[in-house]
Amino acid sequence: MPKITFIDAAGTERSVEAALGATVMEAAIRNGVPGIDAECGGACACATCHVYVDEAWQAATGEPGPMEEDMLDFASDVRPTSRLSCQIKVTEALDGLVVRTPENQG
């Protein structure tokens, strides 16, 4: 199973195993990662699973689609590396992925 490392705003790291085909958000929720609220349950209808993808992983995670870009307008402190974790599917290529959670969601 691929491993994903979540780093919170205070710098605390949590590495979790993620099921192939799941989303980064689902991996966070299943493993109790703080900072991922996921109020809409992964429907890309809120911005409470906002993460910053580590620059080294931007190409592997891809660019946000139009719907995701629209929802990022509702996120706090959006940056060039911002993504909604519900829109990033876990693949073998994402083994070792590093994402940071913002200080506040939504």
Side-chain angles (χ1 to χ4, degrees), residues 7 12 14 17 24 27 33 39 42 57 59-60 67 72 77 84 93 106:
I7 304 172
T12 303
R14 290 172 184 81
E17 289 188 344
V24 171
V33 173
E39 290 176 2
W57 289 94
M67 193 160 112
L72 281 167
D77 194 23
L84 298 181

Side-chain angles (χ1 to χ4, degrees), residues 1-92:
M1 288 172 106
K3 288 197 177 183
I4 300 171
T5 299
F6 294 85
I7 304 172
D8 67 21
T12 303
E13 295 186 19
R14 290 172 184 81
S15 292
V16 303
E17 289 188 344
L20 291 173
T23 65
V24 171
M25 181 215 74
E26 290 168 332
I29 296 301
R30 285 189 186 120
N31 289 282
V33 173
I36 303 289
D37 298 337
E39 290 176 2
C40 75
C44 197
C46 71
T48 61
C49 68
H50 176 212
V51 295
Y52 306 116
V53 175
D54 186 273
E55 289 181 13
W57 289 94
Q58 277 189 283
T61 58
E63 296 293 321
M67 193 160 112
E68 181 179 356
E69 284 181 352
D70 288 344
M71 289 314 306
L72 281 167
D73 288 340
F74 298 100
S76 299
D77 194 23
V78 174
R79 301 176 186 172
T81 60
S82 289
R83 291 291 310 271
L84 298 181
S85 60
C86 70
Q87 298 301 297
I88 304 171
K89 289 278 187 195
V90 176
T91 65
E92 288 288 349

